[in-house]
């Protein structure tokens, strides 16, 4: 009995390590530097995301930044201002509590400014799901992904807060994919214009 439990624990640990090792190719989308109309930075892991968005803005990637997400929305704004971003360049959306809501509640803001291209900033292992959500909400925007960098070592990814978040991200990606498929079948959530709910 103890031997079986030990083998099961080892199998789970090995699977966990494999998931972390595959996070970069499977969960990450990283595009080349390209100027866009706006940087959209998501809340959830504030400090590295704020630093990345500020770095891109200071490098001239986009003139505007939209911060989306409750919890650390204002922290991200203030951290970027402290890093040298102009306060006037930042717009906030502080109500969304999930990646899907990030996209849905950002959509009308992006539509009002006739955004044609945007760069998404989030955690590296969250970038594929986030990009899919925003592409679904605003399919006529040319989306780029420029996420944060992973830890420099595998150990740093596996044995820090990143590890559990990576493992959860696989499950969330599957849940979102199934949810999107169900919405397509029901034909109740298909965006029709610049962004969901906006006329073409």
């Amino acid at each position: 009995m103890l031997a079986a439990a030990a083998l099961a624990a080892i199998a789970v640990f090995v699977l966990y390590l494999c998931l972390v090792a595959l996070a970069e190719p499977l969960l990450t989308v990283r595009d080349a530097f390209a100027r866009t109309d706006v940087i959209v930075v998501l809340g959830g892991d504030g400090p590295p995301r704020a630093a990345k968005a500020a770095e891109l803005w200071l490098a001239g990637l986009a003139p505007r930044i939209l911060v989306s997400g409750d919890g650390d929305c204002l922290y991200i704004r203030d951290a970027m201002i402290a890093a040298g971003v102009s306060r006037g360049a930042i717009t906030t959306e502080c109500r969304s509590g999930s990646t899907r809501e990030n996209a849905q509640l950002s959509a009308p803001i992006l539509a009002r400014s006739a955004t044609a291209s945007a760069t998404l900033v989030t955690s590296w292992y969250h970038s594929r799901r986030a990009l899919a959500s925003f592409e679904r909400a605003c399919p006529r925007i040319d989306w780029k992904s420029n996420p944060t960098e992973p830890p420099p070592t595998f150990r740093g990814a596996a044995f820090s807060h990143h590890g559990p978040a990576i493992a959860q991200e696989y499950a969330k990606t599957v849940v979102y994919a199934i949810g999107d498929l169900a919405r397509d079948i029901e034909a109740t959530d298909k965006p029709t214009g610049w962004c969901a709910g906006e006329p073409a």
Side-chain angles (χ1 to χ4, degrees), residues 62-150:
R64 299 180 287 118
I65 298 176
L66 170 61
V67 184
S68 176
D70 65 1
D72 54 359
C73 173
L74 298 182
Y75 165 82
I76 291 175
R77 180 199 64 187
D78 294 343
M80 292 190 299
I81 292 170
V85 177
S86 169
R87 179 181 291 270
I90 303 171
T91 301
T92 57
E93 178 287 297
C94 297
R95 294 182 296 140
S96 53
S98 69
T99 303
R100 182 171 283 124
E101 288 184 358
N102 287 148
Q104 291 172 343
L105 295 180
S106 294
I109 299 172
L110 297 170
R112 282 196 295 271
S113 59
T115 300
S117 60
T119 297
L120 195 61
V121 173
T122 187
S123 299
W124 56 285
Y125 53 83
H126 178 235
S127 55
R128 187 173 299 279
R129 179 165 62 97
L131 185 63
S133 294
F134 276 83
E135 286 177 337
R136 183 180 180 86
C138 297
R140 294 179 61 180
I141 291 178
D142 179 18
W143 287 98
K144 305 293 183 186
S145 176
N146 207 315
T148 64
E149 299 298 324

Side-chain angles (χ1 to χ4, degrees), residues 15-67:
L15 175 61
Y16 169 77
L17 295 179
C18 290
L19 292 176
V20 173
L22 292 171
E24 181 72 26
L26 295 182
L27 300 179
T28 306
V29 177
R30 196 182 303 280
D31 293 313
F33 185 98
R35 287 181 172 80
T36 57
D37 294 334
V38 63
I39 296 165
V40 180
V41 55
L42 306 186
D45 189 13
R49 297 181 190 186
K52 184 67 175 185
E55 172 193 330
L56 295 174
W57 187 87
L58 291 168
L61 184 138
R64 299 180 287 118
I65 298 176
L66 170 61
V67 184

